C-alpha cells in the first residue's frame, strides 16, 4: 500500500481491568510518540458505543488508515472492532489488536513493569500496523445439495433432515442395503429397537423424491472445495431389477452357500439372497464376490428380474457439502481371546443380539449348541479399556448398556437362566443407570474384578470361567453353558479408502477426527466436510442420530446462503519472485497449491477457496514469494523489530 | 549479575492452542514473569526460521515456538509437524552459532493448558536468568 500510514491507537481501560495495573494515560502519551501515529487516546470502555464512536469519528476526521486497539484478546473483540472500521468506511483488516489485558494487566501486579510491557506490546502492534494492507473477502457460489457417505442411522437421519428442508441429497452406501448395524442389532440401547428406527427412516426415505439412494456405491474421487465439490461414484451392478417380488425361488436354486454376515456368521446364506425381512432397498441381491454366474437363479426366476451381465458404472455428481457417516465395525476378538473361536459356546454381544431377534437364525430363542443355556456369563470390556497390544484404550460407550439390556431380556424370557455379569466397571451412563438396578432385581449376579482378566477355559468337561472376585478377594470358577463377550466398536475396515479420497484425518484411535471436540464437533478439519455417527468415535444409536442431525445443520448453514465467504487471510504468490520450485506444495496441508505455466514461467498458484490460511507455505518458501495476507513477512518482521526501541517521529 | 535483570523472550504462538492458553492464563489471573512478548500467528507452521533469527537479532534472550499438540490437535492438520521439523534444524544452526539450546524452545500447549503455559514461561525465564543476557559481538552471536 503506497499510501502513508496514518495510525490511530486506542487504549482501553476496561474499567479497572487494565487501568488498575497499567498507567493508561502514560501509555497513551507514549503511543502518540510512535512513528506514523496521528492520534492516541485512552477511554474507559473502547468496546462500548461511545468508545466505538470515538474511533469512527477519528477515522473520518483525521483520515486514519490503520487502527491499533490496545485492549483485550482478539478472540474477545477483534470482530467488534473490525465492524467499527467497516462502518467508518475502512477495510476491516487494517486493524491490529494489542492484547494488554490477558497478556499483561491480568498477569502482572507491578504497575511500573506492567506499563513498560504494555508499551512494548503497543509498539510492536503499531509497527505491524504500518504494514497492514486491505484484504478483500471473496465469495464463491455454492451447489445447494449434499452427498452423504454411509446409510446407517446417522447418514439416514442427516439425509432426511436435509431433504425435508428442501435440499437434494445423494445417499451413498457401500453395502447393498441401508440401515447399517442398527438394522440387525435391535437393543444396543433400551427403548425403541434399532430395526424399528431404521424401518421408520426407510419409510421417510422411500417417500422423499429428494433423497437419491446409491447402494453398492463408493466415492472414488473428490475434487473442489467447500460449496463446490465434484465427486465420482463407482456403482456396482445390482443384477436384480425392480421386477423382483421376493418370491425366493432364485435363492432355493442357488448352489453357493456362505456364512451370513448379517447374522454375524451364526447362519449361512446363498450368493443370491435377501439380507433380512424389510431390508431396503427391496429385492434380492447377488453377492458378486462369491457368485459363479452359473445361471441357476436366472432360470428359476419367473419374472425375468435377474441379469448377470450388468457392468459397473461411474457417475459424477456435484454437491456443496459432504457428510461422512460410514460408522464402525464391531470388534472381533482374536482366536482364543476369552475362548473365542474355540467353542460355539463363546459368542459376541452382536451375535447374542441376532439370537434374540425373532427374525434371526433361532427365531428369537437364545439357543447355544442346540439348547437354551442354564448358565450364561457376560464378560465386559472385551478388547476395550486396556493397553495390551490387541486392545483399545477407549470405552465403546454402548456395550455395558447393550449387555445389560440383553441380560434383562434373557431373564424376562427365561427367568430360570442363571446370569453372571463379569466386569471391571459398569458404565451405564445417564438414564441407562436404571438398567443396573433392574438387573439386580432380576437376580443377575455381578462379579467385579480388577487387574487380571477372567479366564475362559474350554475343557472336555465343559466351559468354565475363572475370575478373582474383587469383593471376596477369592478366585472362583464357574461352569457355564454360554459366554457372551461384550465387544466394542473399532474404526470400519474400509475407512482408509474414505480417508484417501476425502483427505479426512483420523485421531490416535483410528476414528475420524473432528475439527475440535467441543468447539467444532461434527466438522472435519476441511471446510465443507462434516462427520456424523460412530466414525468419529463410539456412539449409541441415539447419539449417532443426534450427530446426524447436527451434521445436516452444519451442511445447511454452509450451502443455504448460496455463497460461501472464503478464508480472508490466505496465501498469495508474488509472481515476480516465484521460481516455481514447488516447496510450498509439499508444505501445504490442504493441497491448495499447484504449479502452472504462465507465459513460459512455472509459477505457484493458490486455489483461494482451498487455502485455510495457516501460512505454513509462506514459512517454507525460500524466496519470499509466498506470503500470507495479514501475516506477511514484512508485517511480522516489523512487529519483531519493534522489540528494540524505535526512534520517535 | 543484576538480580533485577529480566530476560526478554519472544514467543511465536499459534492462534488456536497456545495463544488461547495464554489468554486462559490471563482470565485465570495466573501471575507470570513479565519476560514474554507474544507474536500471534495462525499456526506454528507459520513460524519462519527467519523470524526466530530476527527476534534474536533484535534483543531477544530466548525464543519460544508453541503450537497445538501432535498428532491431531493442529487446526491446520499438520502445521505443527512442519514447525517441529524446522525447529530441529534451526536449533542445530543456533547451537553452532553459540546460542545455548535452553534459549530456543518448542512447546505443545493446548487451549486448556494455561498452567503449562505459565510453567513454560517461568522455567524458561529461570533458565535464561541463569544463563544471562545473550551477548552479541561483531562476529555474530557468541556467549564466551
Amino acid at each position: 500500500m503506497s499510501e502513508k500510514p496514518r495510525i490511530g491507537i486506542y487504549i482501553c481501560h476496561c474499567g479497572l481491568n487494565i487501568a488498575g495495573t497499567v498507567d493508561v494515560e502514560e501509555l497513551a502519551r507514549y503511543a502518540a510518540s510512535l512513528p506514523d501515529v496521528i492520534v492516541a487516546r485512552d477511554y474507559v470502555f473502547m468496546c462500548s458505543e461511545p468508545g466505538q464512536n470515538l474511533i469512527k469519528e477519528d477515522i473520518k476526521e483525521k483520515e486514519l488508515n490503520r487502527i491499533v486497539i490496545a485492549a483485550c484478546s482478539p478472540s474477545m473483540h477483534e470482530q467488534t472492532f473490525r465492524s467499527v472500521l467497516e462502518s467508518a468506511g475502512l477495510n476491516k483488516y487494517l486493524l491490529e489488536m494489542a492484547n494488554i489485558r490477558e497478556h499483561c494487566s491480568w498477569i502482572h501486579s507491578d504497575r511500573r513493569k506492567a506499563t513498560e510491557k504494555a508499551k512494548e506490546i503497543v509498539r510492536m502492534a503499531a509497527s505491524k500496523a504500518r504494514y497492514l494492507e486491505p484484504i478483500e473477502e471473496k465469495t464463491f457460489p455454492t451447489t445447494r445439495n449434499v452427498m452423504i457417505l454411509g446409510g446407517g442411522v446417522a447418514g439416514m437421519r442427516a439425509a432426511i433432515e436435509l431433504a425435508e428442508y428442501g435440499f437434494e441429497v445423494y445417499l451413498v452406501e457401500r453395502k447393498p442395503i441401508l440401515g447399517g448395524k442398527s438394522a440387525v442389532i435391535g437393543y444396543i440401547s433400551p427403548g425403541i429397537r434399532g430395526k424399528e428406527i431404521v424401518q421408520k427412516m426407510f419409510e421417510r426415505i422411500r417417500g422423499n423424491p429428494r433423497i437419491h439412494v446409491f447402494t453398492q456405491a463408493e466415492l472414488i474421487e473428490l475434487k473442489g472445495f467447500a460449496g463446490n465439490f465434484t465427486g465420482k461414484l463407482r456403482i456396482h451392478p445390482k443384477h436384480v431389477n425392480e421386477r423382483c417380488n421376493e418370491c425366493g425361488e432364485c435363492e432355493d436354486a442357488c448352489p453357493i452357500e456362505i456364512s451370513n454376515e448379517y447374522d454375524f456368521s451364526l447362519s449361512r446364506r446363498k450368493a443370491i439372497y435377501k439380507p433380512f425381512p424389510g431390508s431396503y432397498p427391496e429385492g434380492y441381491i447377488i453377492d458378486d464376490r462369491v457368485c459363479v454366474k452359473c445361471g441357476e437363479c436366472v432360470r428359476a426366476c419367473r419374472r425375468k428380474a435377474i441379469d448377470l451381465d450388468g457392468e459397473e458404472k461411474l457417475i459424477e455428481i456435484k454437491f456443496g457439502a459432504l457428510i461422512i457417516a460410514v460408522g464402525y465395525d464391531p470388534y472381533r476378538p482374536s482366536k482364543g481371546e476369552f475362548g473365542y473361536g474355540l467353542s460355539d459356546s463363546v459368542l459376541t454381544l452382536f451375535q447374542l443380539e441376532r439370537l434374540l431377534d425373532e427374525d434371526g437364525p433361532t427365531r428369537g430363542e437364545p439357543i447355544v449348541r442346540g439348547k437354551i443355556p442354564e448358565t450364561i456369563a457376560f464378560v465386559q470390556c472385551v478388547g476395550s479399556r486396556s493397553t495390551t497390544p490387541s486392545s483399545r484404550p477407549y470405552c465403546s460407550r454402548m456395550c455395558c448398556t447393550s449387555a445389560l439390556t440383553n441380560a434383562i431380556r434373557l431373564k424376562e424370557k427365561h427367568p430360570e437362566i442363571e446370569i453372571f455379569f463379569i466386569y471391571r466397571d459398569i458404565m451405564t451412563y445417564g438414564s441407562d443407570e436404571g438398567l443396573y438396578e433392574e438387573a439386580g432385581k432380576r437376580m443377575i449376579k455381578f462379579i467385579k474384578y480388577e487387574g487380571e482378566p477372567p479366564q475362559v477355559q474350554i475343557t472336555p468337561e465343559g466351559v468354565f470361567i475363572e475370575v478373582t472376585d474383587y469383593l471376596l478377594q477369592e478366585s472362583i470358577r464357574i461352569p457355564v453353558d454360554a459366554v457372551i463377550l461384550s465387544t466394542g466398536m473399532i474404526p470400519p475396515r474400509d475407512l482408509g479408502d474414505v480417508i484417501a479420497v476425502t483427505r479426512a484425518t483420523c485421531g490416535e484411535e483410528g476414528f475420524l477426527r473432528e475439527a475440535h471436540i467441543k468447539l467444532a464437533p461434527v466438522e472435519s478439519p476441511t471446510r465443507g466436510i462434516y462427520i456424523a455417527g460412530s466414525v468419529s468415535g463410539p456412539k449409541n444409536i441415539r447419539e449417532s442420530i443426534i450427530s446426524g442431525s447436527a451434521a445436516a445443520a452444519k451442511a445447511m448453514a454452509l450451502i443455504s446462503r448460496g455463497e460461501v465467504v472464503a478464508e480472508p487471510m490466505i496465501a498469495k504468490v508474488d509472481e515476480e519472485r516465484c521460481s516455481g520450485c514447488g516447496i510450498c506444495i509439499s508444505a501445504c496441508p490442504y493441497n491448495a497449491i499447484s504449479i502452472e505455466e504462465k507465459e513460459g514461467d512455472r509459477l505457484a498458484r493458490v486455489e483461494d477457496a482451498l487455502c485455510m490460511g495457516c501460512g505454513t507455505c509462506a514459512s517454507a518458501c525460500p524466496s519470499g514469494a509466498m506470503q500470507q495476507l495479514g501475516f506477511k513477512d514484512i508485517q511480522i518482521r516489523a512487529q519483531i523489530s519493534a522489540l528494540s526501541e524505535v526512534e520517535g517521529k | 549479575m543484576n538480580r533485577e535483570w529480566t530476560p526478554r523472550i519472544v514467543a511465536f504462538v499459534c492462534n488456536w492452542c497456545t495463544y488461547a492458553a495464554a489468554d486462559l492464563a490471563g482470565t485465570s489471573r495466573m501471575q507470570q514473569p513479565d519476560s514474554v512478548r507474544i507474536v500471534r500467528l495462525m499456526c506454528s507452521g507459520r513460524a519462519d526460521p527467519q523470524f526466530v533469527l530476527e527476534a534474536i537479532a533484535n534483543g531477544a534472550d530466548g525464543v519460544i515456538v508453541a503450537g497445538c499438540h501432535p498428532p491431531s490437535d493442529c487446526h491446520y492438520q499438520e502445521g505443527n509437524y512442519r514447525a517441529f521439523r524446522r525447529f530441529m534444524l534451526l536449533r542445530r544452526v543456533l547451537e553452532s552459532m553459540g546460542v545455548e539450546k535452553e534459549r530456543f524452545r518448542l512447546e505443545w500447549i493446548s487451549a486448556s493448558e494455561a498452567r503449562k503455559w505459565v510453567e513454560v514461561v517461568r522455567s524458561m525465564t529461570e533458565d535464561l536468568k541463569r544463563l544471562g543476557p545473550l551477548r552479541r559481538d561483531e562476529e555474530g552471536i557468541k556467549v564466551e
Side-chain angles (χ1 to χ4, degrees), chain A residues 11 23-34 40-42:
Chain A
I11 293 148
D23 185 337
V24 284
E25 280 147 26
E26 191 189 326
L27 183 58
R29 279 195 299 277
Y30 174 77
S33 76
L34 293 168
R41 297 183 196 277
D42 61 284

Side-chain angles (χ1 to χ4, degrees), chain A residues 73-74 78 99 102-103 106-108 117 120 513 586-587 589-590 614-616 619 631 633 637 643-644, chain B residues 8 10 19 23 26 29-32 34 36-38 40 45-46 50 54-55 58 72 76-77 82 86:
Chain A
S73 166
E78 190 172 47
N99 184 345
E102 283 84 345
H103 295 183
W106 275 353
I107 57 170
H108 305 304
K117 180 174 171 182
E120 274 195 30
R513 187 164 64 90
S586 60
Y590 298 98
C614 63
T616 304
S619 305
F631 293 90
D633 285 353
R637 288 170 60 192
L643 261 185
S644 41
Chain B
R8 295 217 299 176
V10 176
Y19 194 91
D23 274 1
R29 310 297 200 275
M30 294 177 178
Q31 298 297 298
Q32 305 160 38
D34 61 339
V36 173
R37 304 293 174 269
I38 289 178
R40 180 171 70 117
R46 178 69 184 100
Q50 189 185 0
E54 258 174 75
N58 278 285
S72 56
Y76 302 103
Q77 299 188 15
R82 307 277 188 258
R86 284 186 197 125

